[in-house]
């Protein structure tokens, strides 16, 4: 059937409607036809449009791609069948009602001046359904206009078809549904008033709306949360059931950031005859959030909590995330514990999982534990300090083994935004990572590995956190880049993909590159050559953590994957539930859930980065004209980005650097005709030329 479809398209000038195709093929089973069409679409042989037309892409005059729009009205489109090929220019008159991020069908033509351009024929898919915008007065002051925050739409005149439904005022932020783009007009329907653009908190919220991240919970979800909000003390039957495995009297503590409210992990460490006992007790969210309940459905759609500077958009309503499930101190809580035994050298000897009840004996912060490790300054219970000493011993032993196994230790800072009570940016600084953060991360990795192994050994359907090996060619490219910095570990291509050699190379960078920012940028550059970690049914291991088997178990308050893991641990390990129809149902659900939570994770990360970027622009908005010292973080075709000491980053555009610059893509270097070059790690002095909050851009100029 597939070959017949392709031949039919060829004989019909590479295009046909689905209706005509069905008639020509005399197909009665449309379901079967659509299955074949979907298979051909998946293989990039054909594409289907919104108007139910089919276009042949293979050996055809038609191409398909994703449109990127410039604010000036022109665009560029790639070729889905040749992802590495150059993009084609789309003139403003050839967009045919398409907007940025649309998947489109196009033809390539040659103009009178022999320049090649693309003409859009049809829209295959509109991926952008909503737009965020601000209400502003028109230039003559007589009207109120909707100005999109998405700059790719700024060349359109926006027509609000239902503006009379709202009492519009300047500075209002709205979310609107895109109806149609036609003749440089964008028709939208106002759906939701987000807030006031003059308020920083509302601007941050509007970014979440841009990414379609839910900012409020529906009635059914809130009602369900209220129904399950039963204090532990009132669940006497459940308490009795967990008595044999109770950790009420165990010195469990939480260690988190000082501003954290969703405390979902706690630890306890003691020295034993064999070596060390580590208990990682995690909030038992699955006790309250039942499969297919409104809470569960909402949590799956959100996938995870999103952290926006000083605001959290939680996966679960706050009465659960900050109270009922959170391991707040001196309060009885239900938990799921992973108990591990290690020998004196930090090797895992045994592991088990059980339901329990616990009381966190102390709510510790990273900063106070770091202070204790550094200076032995302590004001809380002395027995907690004694336990921390043992915990540090175990952490260092485990870390030594992980490093020997090839766990990649990238020492990379993150930007921290400091705000006032009204969400105005006061300061941007690097988020410091000390021994306590590394200790907790180490113990959480150990617990994640242990529970993944428990299920993997039983060969049962499970959700894994996979991080595949990087492509050999990608790592070879990274090694070529660092050679220009004098880092040459002299490895074969095969040796380059061994994580142990990657660690040795990172240590070589640490020894040879004394400047901390340049050192960090080289560490960070490795990340760009690595695969992204994803959730999946099949276990392929975690390359970065040197784990043969890995999952996410430790954060069920803020990650849906961990909630799933808790449910399967209870079924398989605690209840010994392994009936075939249950296993089949679990497998089907894992295959359904993984694409959703992989996507929501990417969306949240992108949103969080955008918020930090906007905060950086706001921080610099009153500093235009000032001179700064910075470090080039990356050089690209269109200029180079410069990072300041506080991690704020801006662009020095190529147009400000003179003419005839040449870009070396492999070495990521921009070179001038006089052989002056710009590359990652170089120290430069720059002037802040602009910080545009509406455009979300920071522009630097080189100071000679």
């Amino acid at each position: 059937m597939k070959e017949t479809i392709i031949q039919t398209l060829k004989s019909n000038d590479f295009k046909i409607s689905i209706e005509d195709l069905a008639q020509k093929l005399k197909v009665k089973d449309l379901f079967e036809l659509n299955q074949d069409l979907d298979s051909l679409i998946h293989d990039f042989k054909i594409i289907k449009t919104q108007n139910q037309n089919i276009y042949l892409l293979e050996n055809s005059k038609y191409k398909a791609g994703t449109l990127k729009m410039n604010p000036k009205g022109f665009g560029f489109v790639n070729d889905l069948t040749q992802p590495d090929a150059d993009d084609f220019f789309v003139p403003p008159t050839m967009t045919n009602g398409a907007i940025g991020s649309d998947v489109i069908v196009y033809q390539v033509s040659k103009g009178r001046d022999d320049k090649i351009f693309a003409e859009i024929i049809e829209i295959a898919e509109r991926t952008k359904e909503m737009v965020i915008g601000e209400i502003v007065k028109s230039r003559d002051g007589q009207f109120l206009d909707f100005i999109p925050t998405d700059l790719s739409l700024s060349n359109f005149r926006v027509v609000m078809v239902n503006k009379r439904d709202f009492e519009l005022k300047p500075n209002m932020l709205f979310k609107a549904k895109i109806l149609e783009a036609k003749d440089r007009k964008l028709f939208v329907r106002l759906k939701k008033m987000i807030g006031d653009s003059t308020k920083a908190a509302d601007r941050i919220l509007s970014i979440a709306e841009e990414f379609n991240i839910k900012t409020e919970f529906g009635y059914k979800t809130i009602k369900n949360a209220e129904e399950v909000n039963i204090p532990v003390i009132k669940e006497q039957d459940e308490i009795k059931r967990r008595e044999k495995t109770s950790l009420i009297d165990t010195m469990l503590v939480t260690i988190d950031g000082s501003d954290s409210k969703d405390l979902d992990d706690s630890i306890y460490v003691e020295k034993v005859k064999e070596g060390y006992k580590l208990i990682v007790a995690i909030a038992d969210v699955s006790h309250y959030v039942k499969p297919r309940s409104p809470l569960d459905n909402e949590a799956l759609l959100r996938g995870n909590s999103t952290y926006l500077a000083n605001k959290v958009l939680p996966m679960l309503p706050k009465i659960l995330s900050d109270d009922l499930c959170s391991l707040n101190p001196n309060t009885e809580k239900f938990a799921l514990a992973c108990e591990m035994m290690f020998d004196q050298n930090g090797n895992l000897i045994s592991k088990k999982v059980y339901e329990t009840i616990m009381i966190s004996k102390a709510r510790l912060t990273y900063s106070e534990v770091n202070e204790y490790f550094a200076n032995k300054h302590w004001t809380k219970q002395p027995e907690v300090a004694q336990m921390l000493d043992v915990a540090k011993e175990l952490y260092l032993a485990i870390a030594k083994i992980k490093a020997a196994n090839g766990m990649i230790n990238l020492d990379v800072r993150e930007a921290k935004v400091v705000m006032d009570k009204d969400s105005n940016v006061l300061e941007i600084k690097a988020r410091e990572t000390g021994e306590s953060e590394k200790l907790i991360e180490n113990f959480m990795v150990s617990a994640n590995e242990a529970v993944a192994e428990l299920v993997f050994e039983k060969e049962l359907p499970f959700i894994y956190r996979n991080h595949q090996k990087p492509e050999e060619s990608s790592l070879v490219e990274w090694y070529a880049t660092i050679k220009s910095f004098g880092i040459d570990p002299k490895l074969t291509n095969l040796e380059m993909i061994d994580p142990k050699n990657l660690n040795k190379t990172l240590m070589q960078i640490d020894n040879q590159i004394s400047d901390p920012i340049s050192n960090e940028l080289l560490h960070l550059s490795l990340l760009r050559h690595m695969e992204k970690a994803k959730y999946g049914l099949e276990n392929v291991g975690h390359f970065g953590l040197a784990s043969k088997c890995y999952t996410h178990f430790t954060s069920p308050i803020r990650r849906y994957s961990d909630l799933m893991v808790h449910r399967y641990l209870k079924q398989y390990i605690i209840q010994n539930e392994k009936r075939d129809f249950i296993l089949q149902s679990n497998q089907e659900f894992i295959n359904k859930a993984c694409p959703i939570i992989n996507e929501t994770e990417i969306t949240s990360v992108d949103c969080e980065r955008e918020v930090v970027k906007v905060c950086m622009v706001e921080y610099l908005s009153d500093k235009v004209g000032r001179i700064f010292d910075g470090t080039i973080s990356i050089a690209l075709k269109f200029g180079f980005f410069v990072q300041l000491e506080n991690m704020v980053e801006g662009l020095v555009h190529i147009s400000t650097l003179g003419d005839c610059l040449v870009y070396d893509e492999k070495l990521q270097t921009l070179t001038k005709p006089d052989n002056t070059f710009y590359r990652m790690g170089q120290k430069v002095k720059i002037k802040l030329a602009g910080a545009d909050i509406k455009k979300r851009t920071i522009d630097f100029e080189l100071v000679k």
Side-chain angles (χ1 to χ4, degrees):
M1 175 68 86
K2 291 180 194 175
E3 189 55 41
T4 307
I5 291 169
I6 289 172
Q7 291 304 320
T8 305
L9 279 162
K10 284 180 179 177
S11 61
N12 282 270
D13 201 25
F14 311 113
K15 171 194 171 183
I16 195 169
S17 70
I18 291 180
E19 187 179 346
D20 288 347
L21 179 64
Q23 286 181 357
K24 284 182 180 292
L25 299 181
K26 297 178 181 177
V27 170
K28 293 181 181 178
D29 188 350
L30 288 176
F31 177 78
E32 188 180 338
L33 174 61
N34 278 313
Q35 277 192 317
D36 288 327
L37 290 174
D38 288 343
S39 177
L40 289 168
I41 291 168
H42 182 267
D43 294 337
F44 298 117
K45 306 274 188 185
I46 65 168
I47 192 162
K48 182 169 69 173
T49 68
Q50 289 180 330
N51 294 328
Q52 300 299 298
N53 289 321
I54 306 293
Y55 289 83
L56 183 65
L57 301 178
E58 192 176 51
N59 301 319
S60 160
K61 61 184 177 182
Y62 296 112
K63 296 179 183 292
T66 302
L67 179 65
K68 288 181 285 188
M69 288 294 293
N70 185 282
K72 294 180 180 178
F74 60 84
F76 293 91
V77 64
N78 62 348
D79 185 345
L80 290 178
T81 64
Q82 298 182 53
D84 296 328
D86 289 338
D87 293 350
F88 295 101
F89 174 73
V90 183
T93 55
M94 302 289 185
T95 56
N96 196 19
I99 63 173
S101 78
D102 280 355
V103 180
I104 48 94
V105 179
Y106 64 97
Q107 281 183 279
V108 175
S109 305
K110 193 180 284 188
R112 292 178 183 174
D113 53 1
D114 284 343
K115 286 187 178 178
I116 294 173
F117 64 89
E119 178 181 0
I120 295 174
I121 308 299
E122 255 193 88
I123 299 167
E125 182 187 358
R126 172 143 293 159
T127 58
K128 188 189 294 293
E129 296 181 348
M130 310 296 287
V131 59
I132 308 300
E134 181 183 348
I135 303 299
V136 300
K137 280 188 177 181
S138 59
R139 287 182 182 176
D140 58 13
Q142 295 184 41
F143 304 100
L144 290 173
D145 293 331
F146 180 100
I147 306 299
T149 56
D150 183 345
L151 295 181
S152 71
L153 298 171
S154 59
N155 195 51
F156 288 93
R157 178 173 164 263
V158 180
V159 179
M160 299 171 279
V161 300
N162 65 328
K163 62 182 178 181
R164 291 179 182 174
D165 294 349
F166 296 88
E167 193 177 327
L168 300 182
K169 294 176 184 176
N171 303 320
M172 280 183 167
L173 286 165
F174 270 94
K175 188 172 190 176
K177 182 175 177 59
I178 296 172
L179 303 176
E180 186 184 14
K182 188 177 181 182
D183 301 328
R184 310 312 305 161
K185 291 179 183 177
L186 188 70
F187 295 87
V188 304
R189 181 179 298 280
L190 300 178
K191 300 290 285 185
K192 177 183 179 182
M193 206 277 273
I194 299 167
D196 185 336
S197 66
T198 63
K199 294 179 180 177
D202 289 348
R203 288 202 303 273
I204 288 172
L205 211 56
S206 74
I207 295 170
E209 294 282 2
E210 274 180 39
F211 285 85
N212 283 322
I213 294 171
K214 290 190 172 188
T215 57
E216 297 168 355
F217 288 97
Y219 170 76
K220 287 183 179 179
T221 306
I222 294 295
K223 188 171 184 295
N224 189 189
E226 290 168 349
E227 288 167 354
V228 302
N229 187 21
I230 302 166
V232 169
I233 196 68
K234 290 189 176 181
E235 295 200 54
Q236 288 300 316
D237 290 344
E238 188 65 21
I239 291 172
K240 193 171 182 180
R241 194 175 70 81
R242 299 183 186 220
E243 272 179 352
K244 288 183 180 178
T245 53
S246 172
L247 296 172
I248 287 282
D249 298 323
T250 304
M251 182 60 69
L252 284 156
V253 300
T254 61
I255 309 177
D256 295 272
S258 57
D259 54 354
S260 297
K261 293 177 181 176
D262 48 354
L263 314 179
D264 45 15
D265 57 86
S266 61
I267 63 160
Y268 167 74
V269 190
E270 71 168 301
K271 274 190 174 177
V272 292
K273 184 175 65 175
E274 299 89 341
Y276 299 91
K277 179 199 282 187
L278 167 64
I279 298 176
V280 174
I282 307 297
D284 191 355
V285 179
S286 63
H287 176 70
Y288 302 102
V289 181
K290 301 301 182 186
R292 293 177 293 280
S293 66
L295 275 169
D296 185 52
N297 294 337
E298 181 77 16
L300 174 57
L301 286 175
R302 291 177 179 238
N304 46 259
S305 298
T306 304
Y307 295 82
L308 308 178
N310 66 341
K311 184 178 181 62
V312 180
L313 298 177
M315 182 179 80
L316 299 168
K318 286 189 176 180
I319 56 173
L320 269 71
S321 64
D322 294 4
D323 186 16
L324 181 66
C325 297
S326 185
L327 303 181
N328 301 324
N330 307 313
T331 311
E332 290 188 355
K333 299 286 180 179
F334 292 132
L336 195 61
C338 177
E339 185 175 312
M340 294 158 276
M341 300 294 289
F342 296 85
D343 67 17
Q344 300 287 354
N345 297 318
N347 295 295
L348 183 65
I349 302 169
S350 66
K351 54 198 178 267
K352 62 180 178 179
V353 171
Y354 51 87
E355 293 172 301
T356 189
I357 182 169
M358 62 164 283
I359 295 177
S360 169
K361 299 301 188 291
R363 193 268 197 248
L364 309 180
T365 65
Y366 290 129
S367 57
E368 67 183 336
V369 177
N370 286 335
E371 171 68 18
Y372 172 69
F373 284 153
N375 303 311
K376 293 300 175 184
H377 175 71
W378 192 251
T379 58
K380 293 187 175 178
Q381 308 100 300
E383 58 268 31
V384 172
Q386 291 165 15
M387 188 192 73
L388 289 174
D389 288 334
V390 179
K392 187 176 179 183
E393 280 181 29
L394 175 60
Y395 138 63
L396 291 173
I398 296 171
K400 189 175 180 181
I401 290 171
K402 291 298 286 183
N405 290 340
M407 179 175 175
I408 297 169
N409 186 20
L410 288 172
D411 197 8
V412 177
R413 301 170 301 160
E414 292 180 349
K416 179 178 173 65
V417 180
V418 181
M419 294 180 160
D420 64 18
K421 60 182 177 61
D422 297 317
S423 299
N424 296 303
V425 180
L426 299 177
E427 185 186 3
I428 308 285
K429 60 182 183 179
R431 192 186 299 275
E432 298 298 329
T433 301
E435 289 293 290
S436 67
E437 287 93 341
K438 293 174 184 175
L439 179 148
I440 289 297
E441 182 184 1
N442 212 285
F443 288 170
M444 296 306 117
V445 167
S446 294
N448 287 335
E449 288 176 330
V451 298
E453 288 166 8
L454 276 171
V455 179
F456 184 67
E457 289 161 3
K458 296 178 183 295
E459 299 183 346
L460 297 168
F462 201 52
I463 177 171
Y464 295 97
R465 178 68 169 177
N466 294 317
H467 185 223
Q468 292 188 326
K469 276 187 176 182
E471 293 287 336
E472 183 182 310
S473 58
S474 185
L475 281 185
V476 169
E477 192 177 288
W478 180 70
Y479 277 100
T481 303
I482 65 171
K483 257 187 189 178
S484 62
F485 291 84
I487 311 294
D488 187 4
K490 294 182 171 58
L491 300 169
T492 65
N493 285 9
L494 192 60
E495 288 171 333
M496 286 179 182
I497 60 172
D498 185 336
K500 293 177 185 177
N501 289 327
L502 274 175
N503 265 339
K504 287 177 185 175
T505 304
L506 291 171
M507 287 173 66
Q508 198 173 334
I509 289 170
D510 292 342
N511 293 332
Q512 290 184 225
I513 307 296
S514 57
D515 177 63
I517 295 180
S518 298
N519 186 306
E520 181 181 61
L521 289 169
L522 283 169
H523 278 243
L524 189 62
S525 69
L526 176 58
L527 275 179
R528 300 191 190 104
H529 293 81
M530 304 272 272
E531 299 290 324
K532 302 291 184 205
K534 292 181 179 179
Y535 298 105
L537 177 68
E538 301 299 325
N539 171 41
V540 299
H542 197 293
F543 178 81
L545 295 174
S547 298
K548 293 179 182 177
C549 192
Y550 195 71
T551 191
H552 272 163
F553 159 74
T554 56
S555 297
I557 291 177
R558 61 186 179 89
R559 287 192 304 233
Y560 192 81
S561 56
D562 305 49
L563 177 56
M564 291 171 66
V565 165
H566 280 224
R567 287 172 179 163
Y568 299 142
L569 287 171
K570 285 185 178 185
Q571 279 185 357
Y572 302 153
I573 310 297
I574 297 166
Q575 299 161 4
N576 200 30
E577 174 59 86
K578 298 170 188 172
R579 286 175 289 177
D580 286 346
F581 79 94
I582 293 287
L583 301 183
Q584 179 65 31
S585 175
N586 288 351
Q587 182 169 319
E588 288 172 1
F589 186 75
I590 292 165
N591 281 328
K592 170 193 167 187
C594 283
I596 297 171
I597 59 179
N598 283 331
E599 188 63 35
T600 58
E601 180 186 30
I602 292 168
T603 301
S604 287
V605 168
D606 289 346
C607 181
E608 288 163 6
R609 285 176 180 160
E610 189 70 12
V611 166
V612 171
K613 187 173 89 173
V614 169
C615 290
M616 288 178 175
V617 178
E618 184 180 328
Y619 175 71
L620 287 182
S621 59
D622 62 349
K623 299 173 179 62
V624 174
R626 278 180 54 177
I627 306 294
F628 297 92
D629 291 315
T631 308
I632 296 177
S633 57
I634 190 169
L636 301 164
K637 286 180 182 178
F638 51 84
F640 53 83
F641 283 92
V642 175
Q643 181 179 300
L644 306 185
E645 181 66 33
N646 63 354
M647 300 201 73
V648 171
E649 198 171 62
L651 174 68
V652 175
H653 196 269
I654 195 169
S655 61
T656 67
L657 298 171
D659 298 326
C660 305
L661 275 84
V662 176
Y663 182 64
D664 186 320
E665 193 164 359
K666 283 189 177 179
L667 298 178
Q668 293 181 338
T669 304
L670 271 171
T671 306
K672 297 179 76 169
D674 63 359
N675 288 328
T676 302
F677 64 87
Y678 307 103
R679 71 168 186 190
M680 177 178 62
Q682 275 183 317
K683 300 298 178 185
V684 289
K685 196 175 284 291
I686 45 91
K687 180 175 77 173
L688 178 60
D692 193 317
I693 291 176
K694 290 190 185 297
K695 291 181 179 178
R696 301 177 187 171
T697 55
I698 295 170
D699 292 307
F700 291 140
E701 288 179 1
L702 207 56
V703 176
K704 297 178 182 177

